[in-house]
Amino acid sequence: MHSFTVQQINDILQGELVGNTTHTITGVEEIRNASPTDLTFIGNKKYAKFWVDSKASVAIINDTIVLEPGSNRAFIKVKNADLAMAMLLEAFQPPAPVFDTAIHPTAVIHETARIGDGVQIGAHCYIGKNVVLGDGVILYHNVSVFDDTTIGAQTIAWSGTVIRERSQIGAQCIFHNNVSIGADGFGYRPADDGRGLVKIPHIGNVVIGNGVEIGANSCVDRAKFNSTIIGDGCKIDNLVQIAHNCIMGRSCIMAGHSGLAGSVTLGDGVIIGGSASIKDHTTIGSGATVGAGSGVLNDVKEGQTVLGYPAADSRNMLKQWVALRRLAK
């Protein structure tokens, strides 16, 4: 168990210590559920009212919030409590599962595969022909990496992940449980004789940049030709679908249950809310935001925020909702 004094925590965060406490901090907890040995945080003034009744002895707090810590309690004032909390959680993070051997004897590794220094491969993994694993790659048990795939240094793939043939994966990526990279895209056309559907082959691949994180049970399909591309630093939640030939710029965010149909293009820094759906061949400009549950049928301009189904400019859509509510009364 990790434990810190309030001064040690402040040394990590480099904030302004206000007050003091004799309690040793052994955990982090939400403000209403915290115990005296827990640290909490107040990143929004609407949560300040809960401090009086909270049992927490230390809180990370935005320096714009005016509040007194009280007896035997302390605040660490910072510019951004959310970012400071993220930094502190790293200090409390439990160690990752330990490999008894670097490469488990049940792993199947093709003789042509190239394995970098410090690579760890868990039980029942499969590494195909001409695969390249960079230094420090970690594959937890039951990960499959098919032929001609390259994975950059220090990338981690958790159990159940499948990376199909010819994929190109960058460095320092994280793929959570059961991620699918490079499955066939969803492409069919009616047969000439009207009997059934003809499957369209997808002969392209998937290219994923550096520092990409993909949540559990999410899928990135291979391109029909060329590549489906995920840019550096993108963060993708659980249960997300990215279809064939999509292109995502740098540092995009996609929340859970959202999806891109085929050949969607996202600029840099696009934010897609949960359960939002983007129509095929749509372009969303850099810095744009798509609200949760929205259905985007047309291109979205840079920096624009859209809501609703069909999605429209957020200000206009909110005005429509207000007007409809008034009519319904």
Side-chain angles (χ1 to χ4, degrees):
M1 180 182 294
H2 298 285
S3 63
F4 301 92
T5 67
V6 66
Q7 185 59 58
Q8 288 172 326
I9 293 171
N10 192 49
D11 289 343
I12 294 170
L13 300 179
Q14 294 296 298
E16 177 190 355
L17 181 59
V18 179
N20 204 352
T21 181
T22 57
H23 292 289
T24 299
I25 303 303
T26 59
V28 180
E29 185 54 87
E30 191 267 338
I31 190 168
R32 285 167 286 192
N33 298 327
S35 71
T37 59
D38 288 328
L39 174 143
T40 190
F41 76 111
I42 306 173
N44 189 304
K45 63 182 180 181
K46 72 179 182 180
Y47 293 103
K49 63 185 178 183
F50 299 116
W51 177 248
V52 173
D53 296 322
S54 176
K55 293 181 172 60
S57 55
V58 180
I60 300 170
I61 183 171
N62 280 358
D63 57 14
T64 56
I65 297 175
V66 179
L67 195 64
E68 292 298 323
S71 176
N72 199 24
R73 306 173 89 188
F75 287 153
I76 298 174
K77 290 197 168 186
V78 295
K79 185 176 181 179
N80 188 316
D82 289 324
L83 292 179
M85 178 60 75
M87 185 186 305
L88 188 61
L89 286 172
E90 289 186 7
F92 279 97
Q93 187 169 12
V98 175
F99 285 73
D100 291 331
T101 58
I103 299 178
H104 197 275
T106 62
V108 176
I109 302 173
H110 195 276
E111 61 183 8
T112 61
R114 288 186 285 162
I115 310 299
D117 293 336
V119 169
Q120 299 181 77
I121 301 175
H124 304 291
C125 287
Y126 172 80
I127 312 299
K129 183 179 179 181
N130 296 325
V131 167
V132 178
L133 302 182
D135 295 345
V137 166
I138 298 176
L139 306 179
Y140 287 96
H141 67 275
N142 292 326
V143 171
S144 296
V145 183
F146 286 85
D147 299 2
D148 301 306
T149 290
T150 299
I151 299 180
Q154 299 177 335
T155 285
I156 299 171
W158 287 89
S159 297
T161 293
V162 176
I163 302 174
R164 289 281 299 275
E165 58 273 20
R166 302 187 305 281
S167 296
Q168 298 177 26
I169 312 298
Q172 298 179 330
C173 296
I174 301 173
F175 301 146
H176 292 278
N177 300 80
N178 301 315
V179 164
S180 172
I181 305 294
D184 284 356
F186 187 70
Y188 301 89
R189 290 293 182 270
D192 287 340
D193 60 6
R195 297 179 179 179
L197 299 171
V198 176
K199 179 178 174 64
I200 298 174
H202 285 70
I203 64 172
N205 71 341
V206 173
V207 176
I208 294 179
N210 300 319
V212 172
E213 185 164 358
I214 301 181
N217 296 295
S218 290
C219 302
V220 183
D221 291 346
R222 74 172 64 190
K224 184 186 300 183
F225 38 79
N226 296 326
S227 301
T228 302
I229 299 174
I230 311 297
D232 292 347
C234 287
K235 309 300 180 186
I236 298 167
D237 199 359
N238 301 337
L239 297 165
V240 170
Q241 163 66 14
I242 299 171
H244 62 88
N245 290 95
C246 286
I247 298 175
M248 296 176 62
R250 295 173 298 170
S251 300
C252 296
I253 295 173
M254 293 186 64
H257 284 263
S258 60
L260 307 181
S263 299
V264 168
T265 299
L266 306 185
D268 296 337
V270 171
I271 299 174
I272 307 292
S275 298
S277 301
I278 317 300
K279 179 183 175 292
D280 59 292
H281 297 276
T282 300
T283 297
I284 299 180
S286 295
T289 298
V290 177
S294 298
V296 177
L297 305 182
N298 300 296
D299 292 350
V300 177
K301 297 177 182 178
E302 290 189 6
Q304 187 178 18
T305 298
V306 296
L307 295 172
Y309 192 97
D313 182 82
S314 59
R315 290 165 295 184
N316 294 334
M317 186 59 69
L318 289 170
K319 289 177 182 178
Q320 291 180 36
W321 290 345
V322 170
L324 287 171
R325 181 173 293 180
R326 288 173 177 168
L327 287 171
K329 288 183 178 180

